[in-house]
Amino acid sequence: LTALHVRLDHPTQHQLKLVFNRNFFALDVDKIINRITSSCHQCASLRQVPSAILEQSTSEPPSCIGLEYASDVLRRAQQYILITRETVSSFTTACLIDNETAVTLEEGIIRSTLPIHPKEAPLATIRTDPAPGFNSLAKNHRSLSHYNIKLEIGEAKNVNKNPVAEKAVQELEREILCQDPSGKPVSDVTLAAAVSTL
């Protein structure tokens, strides 16, 4: 069977079985053919790879400004800074928060989003990473829905789950260093100056 497999230039299991059954008879032919084709490196390289369990795709661009946002927390000098960025225009807001609990994150999201998205506007979707506080907030978001805000949690295993917010974090951190190179905790005024420069 192995010699026949090599001579036929790496056929499929079905082709190999047809050729073998034409001239020979053996017990457990299916198992033997399966073992030969599974141990063949060229057959394995030609085999179709199963499709991904979670399909990856790019998202459609927003239809207008002010509907899609991204948020993340910048940890710096023992401070937590919640950053929210509008996806299309890259307009950025930020505020200091005490910790990363769901209640604090909820207040921070409302404080940073309301100046650029009034609650009478259409539903705003804010993309976040799957941190425990954001996950808890996404499951119980009555206050956010009152302000017409919905959280969208990024896929945990995707490295690029929240690129807009991660870029905003890098830019704000660089701008804070330009405003205050000492690396000390920032005041509200310094943070406002850094955000206005962005």
Side-chain angles (χ1 to χ4, degrees):
L1 263 177
T2 308
L4 184 63
H5 178 259
V6 172
R7 242 183 1 207
L8 288 172
D9 195 21
H10 305 284
T12 62
Q13 288 184 11
H14 179 67
Q15 290 171 331
L16 187 59
K17 185 177 177 183
L18 287 176
V19 172
F20 182 81
N21 286 339
R22 209 177 296 149
N23 299 309
F24 304 100
F25 173 78
L27 297 173
D28 292 333
V29 173
D30 291 335
K31 287 182 183 176
I32 296 168
I33 290 175
N34 188 27
R35 193 178 73 225
I36 290 171
T37 53
S38 63
S39 63
C40 171
H41 294 296
Q42 287 189 351
C43 292
S45 67
L46 296 171
R47 198 174 297 137
Q48 284 188 342
V49 178
S51 58
I53 297 171
L54 292 171
E55 190 175 335
Q56 303 278 332
S57 64
T58 56
S59 56
E60 289 291 320
S63 56
C64 63
I65 292 175
L67 295 183
E68 290 189 13
Y69 299 85
S71 279
D72 203 356
V73 176
L74 166 62
R75 296 180 200 91
R76 181 191 172 279
Q78 298 181 345
Q79 281 184 312
Y80 298 97
I81 303 170
L82 179 72
I83 304 165
T84 302
R85 174 171 277 187
E86 203 277 323
T87 307
V88 178
S89 65
S90 293
F91 189 83
T92 307
T93 60
C95 62
L96 292 168
I97 56 175
D98 297 329
N99 50 48
E100 290 184 277
T101 61
V103 175
T104 310
L105 288 172
E106 184 178 41
E107 289 174 5
I109 285 175
I110 292 169
R111 274 174 35 210
S112 63
T113 309
L114 276 183
I116 53 178
H117 182 270
K119 70 177 189 176
E120 293 80 15
L123 180 68
T125 304
I126 300 179
R127 188 172 183 84
T128 65
D129 59 12
F134 285 126
N135 267 330
S136 171
L137 186 56
K139 291 173 187 165
N140 184 17
H141 59 280
R142 287 191 210 113
S143 298
L144 290 181
S145 57
H146 173 71
Y147 292 101
N148 224 1
I149 298 170
K150 179 183 85 169
L151 282 191
E152 179 183 291
I153 305 295
E155 178 60 41
K157 292 187 178 179
N158 185 358
V159 178
N160 200 24
K161 57 187 149 291
N162 197 8
V164 175
E166 287 166 9
K167 177 79 170 158
V169 166
Q170 291 172 1
E171 290 177 358
L172 183 61
E173 195 165 18
R174 192 168 56 241
E175 194 53 48
I176 288 173
L177 276 174
C178 291
Q179 299 281 336
D180 183 11
S182 67
K184 294 184 296 188
V186 294
S187 64
D188 286 321
V189 175
T190 308
L191 179 62
V195 171
S196 68
T197 308
L198 283 183

